[in-house]
Amino acid sequence: ILDDTGRLYAFGHNSDKQTSIPPLRDGATRFTTIAAGARHSLALDDTGNLYAFGWNGNQQTTIPALRNGGTRFTDIAAGLHHSLALDDTGNLYAWGSNKRGQTRIPELRNGGTAFTAIAAGIFHSIALDDKGNLYGFGDNDDKQTSAPTLRDGGTRFTAIGAGGYHSLALDDKGNAF
């Protein structure tokens, strides 16, 4: 739980230290975003530091270095045994288990220049770029990475979410997929 002052509370099964919250670092004063995988947790602080803790059997808590001009992390998502993060320049990072392609980042397309949103399911990931293009990668046994076709005059996707074996998207006309 993240409260309105930026304090992070974790509880439940802790055999892999997934509820053992690390201390804030590098001048940070509060946590701003949290995500939970199966046996690992992710958190962001107000200066863009990324924290990953818990089971690391698939390297899902081994945080990658910022690249291509990124200076801080801005968003996170956690799947079963994989992790996703965005940085302040729109670079997408995916690490951990890749048994089903869930960390294989797709190339930007159709005029997209940066990723803007991410979500993670159990064995799949989805992302949105700055032009409203939707990307799905990883397991597709239940069509959870098959991007739907826009309808009713929609021209771009604006929001995404992912569950265990499904994905959600909203377009600029308010259509839900």
Side-chain angles (χ1 to χ4, degrees), residues 31-174:
F31 289 103
T32 59
T33 308
I34 54 176
R39 295 165 53 192
H40 74 289
S41 302
L42 304 173
L44 281 178
D45 70 24
D46 57 348
T47 63
N49 292 311
L50 174 56
Y51 304 77
F53 44 104
W55 187 66
N56 195 34
N58 290 298
Q59 306 304 307
Q60 66 268 39
T61 64
T62 303
I63 301 168
L66 288 160
R67 62 179 190 270
N68 300 333
T71 60
R72 65 187 197 93
F73 290 102
T74 59
D75 198 10
I76 52 176
L80 181 69
H81 297 300
H82 72 286
S83 301
L84 304 173
L86 284 178
D87 72 18
D88 57 349
T89 61
N91 294 306
L92 173 55
Y93 304 77
W95 66 99
S97 176
N98 193 37
K99 290 180 182 172
R100 307 227 179 132
Q102 64 268 41
T103 64
R104 194 173 307 122
I105 300 169
E107 294 290 322
L108 289 162
R109 63 178 190 273
N110 300 332
T113 61
F115 289 101
T116 59
I118 52 176
I122 290 179
F123 299 116
H124 75 286
S125 303
I126 58 173
L128 191 63
D129 73 17
D130 58 345
K131 300 296 182 194
N133 297 307
L134 179 60
Y135 304 79
F137 46 108
D139 186 41
N140 196 35
D141 287 348
D142 295 303
K143 306 295 185 244
Q144 64 269 43
T145 63
S146 296
T149 302
L150 291 162
R151 60 179 186 256
D152 300 331
T155 60
R156 58 188 299 266
F157 290 100
T158 59
I160 56 173
Y165 296 95
H166 66 286
S167 299
L168 306 166
L170 186 66
D171 73 12
D172 58 350
K173 298 294 183 190

